[in-house]
Amino acid sequence: MHPSAADTTPANAPQVDTAPAIPSPATEPATEPAIKPATEPVVRRAAAPVALSPSRAGDFMTCPLLYRLRVIDKLPEPPSAAATKGTVVHAVLERLFDAPAGQRTPQAARALLRPEWARLLEKRPELAGLFPDDADGAELARWLAQAERLLDGWFQLEDPNRLEPAERELYVETELESGLRLRGYVDRVDVAPTGEVRIVDYKTGKPPARDYEGKAMFQMKFYALVLWRLRGVVPRRLQLVYLGGGGAVLTYDPDLADLRAVERKLLALWEAIQGALATGEWPATPNRLCDWCAHQALCPAYGGTPPPYPLTVPTAPGAGGL
């Protein structure tokens, strides 16, 4: 949902992370000189992450090699037009609630699109490469029109004028008794006058087939677990709002047994990642998402070879972390 660098510790630490949210400075190896020539890259040892987010947990369950390449190797991935569209649409849905009830209209949402795209482009100039041969702006216009249709579809699923979210883009983090940290961003938290909590997440893709609905809801149960650990309240409802493919709303009402089961699953997942960190065994798992993977050239399933493990990661001089 919100991709960025993960916190890290030295590579031999037995902890695990999949959180894409908050970078922290990495420690230079003891053999590094204090000052390097400006033209010579600094080399830092890859580091073991220390927390789990829903996205990175999903990566490991889908394909351990994908997790390793994203979290341990931190290999860059080219920007995606679809993912970037989702980022912009999420920003619009968040900002729309700055307007008072009655003014949250489809027209107001569409009017926010170009400003949010410009704001994102200022932060990430490389996104201009999504439209390299677009001198007349037609390709960008089509892309924005697709985003507009997603926003229009949202108004068919929810009425924002009847909602007053308690939280938007809420960063949550908690530490379990085992020491495992869980973290992530929740798109929206609604709180009823009676105190009941609803967690809402927007998806700009198509709704999943019925057989995959449970897998899709894993992310929401993860957030419910974190909020329960933080606030002592089990959310009354989990809600996934799919804007693509004609739109759909999936809901699930969890109980305490659900959340404890998710916690056990995450602890087992953490242990599996620790084992992979120790052995260096990150098997590739071919699946239906392989066609969209940015790392096929390094994947044994496609005739590639992953980088050596353990490994060092070259970075630009003065970089603040891995």
Side-chain angles (χ1 to χ4, degrees), residues 153-209:
W154 178 57
F155 283 86
Q156 304 303 313
L157 301 171
E158 295 189 292
D159 181 359
N161 294 294
R162 300 180 63 183
L163 299 170
E164 292 298 339
E167 308 279 358
R168 291 173 275 157
E169 289 296 311
L170 174 66
Y171 176 73
V172 292
E173 178 174 346
T174 192
E175 183 172 316
L176 304 181
E177 293 177 359
S178 65
L180 172 60
R181 275 189 280 163
L182 306 177
R183 59 169 70 134
Y185 281 90
V186 180
D187 287 343
R188 198 179 87 213
V189 178
D190 301 331
V191 179
T194 55
E196 295 176 313
V197 174
R198 177 172 63 185
I199 301 175
V200 181
D201 195 77
Y202 308 117
K203 300 295 184 185
T204 51
K206 298 178 182 179

Side-chain angles (χ1 to χ4, degrees), residues 12-321:
N12 60 356
Q15 293 179 304
V16 183
D17 166 49
T18 51
I22 300 182
S24 63
T27 302
E28 297 286 352
T31 57
E32 283 284 306
I35 299 176
K36 303 277 288 184
T39 57
E40 185 177 348
V42 175
V43 177
R44 294 188 175 90
R45 187 175 179 81
V50 294
L52 279 172
S53 72
S55 297
R56 301 292 78 83
D59 284 346
F60 188 84
M61 290 187 290
T62 300
C63 176
L65 179 60
L66 175 62
Y67 173 92
R68 181 208 141 170
L69 296 176
R70 282 179 166 171
V71 178
I72 308 302
D73 302 65
K74 296 182 175 58
L75 297 185
E77 297 182 7
S80 156
T84 304
K85 186 193 308 170
T87 298
V88 174
V89 168
H90 274 74
V92 170
L93 295 179
E94 178 191 5
R95 193 170 294 273
L96 185 65
F97 284 103
D98 289 342
Q103 297 181 24
R104 303 166 189 162
T105 64
Q107 295 79 7
R110 290 195 295 268
L112 290 171
L113 260 177
R114 282 188 178 271
E116 289 303 322
W117 163 241
R119 185 176 287 108
L120 182 61
L121 191 59
E122 183 178 0
K123 292 179 181 177
R124 299 179 57 193
E126 73 275 10
L127 294 178
L130 292 172
F131 312 105
D133 303 312
D134 193 31
D136 62 358
E139 191 176 352
L140 174 60
R142 283 193 293 271
W143 184 80
L144 289 170
Q146 293 168 357
E148 285 183 351
R149 288 194 289 274
L150 292 174
L151 290 171
D152 288 345
W154 178 57
F155 283 86
Q156 304 303 313
L157 301 171
E158 295 189 292
D159 181 359
N161 294 294
R162 300 180 63 183
L163 299 170
E164 292 298 339
E167 308 279 358
R168 291 173 275 157
E169 289 296 311
L170 174 66
Y171 176 73
V172 292
E173 178 174 346
T174 192
E175 183 172 316
L176 304 181
E177 293 177 359
S178 65
L180 172 60
R181 275 189 280 163
L182 306 177
R183 59 169 70 134
Y185 281 90
V186 180
D187 287 343
R188 198 179 87 213
V189 178
D190 301 331
V191 179
T194 55
E196 295 176 313
V197 174
R198 177 172 63 185
I199 301 175
V200 181
D201 195 77
Y202 308 117
K203 300 295 184 185
T204 51
K206 298 178 182 179
R210 185 173 298 275
D211 290 345
Y212 291 94
E213 288 182 2
K215 184 177 180 180
M217 197 58 70
F218 169 77
Q219 171 190 356
M220 305 303 287
K221 293 180 181 179
F222 182 109
Y223 292 141
L225 169 62
V226 175
L227 282 177
W228 168 55
R229 287 299 191 185
L230 284 173
R231 302 180 179 181
V233 176
V234 175
R236 175 67 177 83
R237 173 154 294 181
L238 311 178
Q239 182 166 302
L240 283 167
V241 181
Y242 286 88
L243 308 182
V249 177
L250 302 183
T251 63
Y252 182 82
D253 296 345
D255 58 25
L256 191 54
D258 287 322
L259 304 190
R260 292 193 184 279
V262 170
E263 184 170 332
R264 290 192 297 271
K265 182 174 183 176
L266 292 172
L267 291 173
L269 181 64
W270 192 26
E271 290 182 6
I273 297 173
Q274 287 179 329
L277 285 166
T279 64
E281 295 180 5
W282 305 90
T285 308
N287 60 82
R288 62 191 181 90
L289 300 178
C290 289
D291 289 345
W292 293 273
C293 182
H295 304 296
Q296 284 189 9
L298 299 173
C299 180
Y302 290 86
T305 302
Y309 186 90
L311 65 158
T312 55
V313 180
T315 63

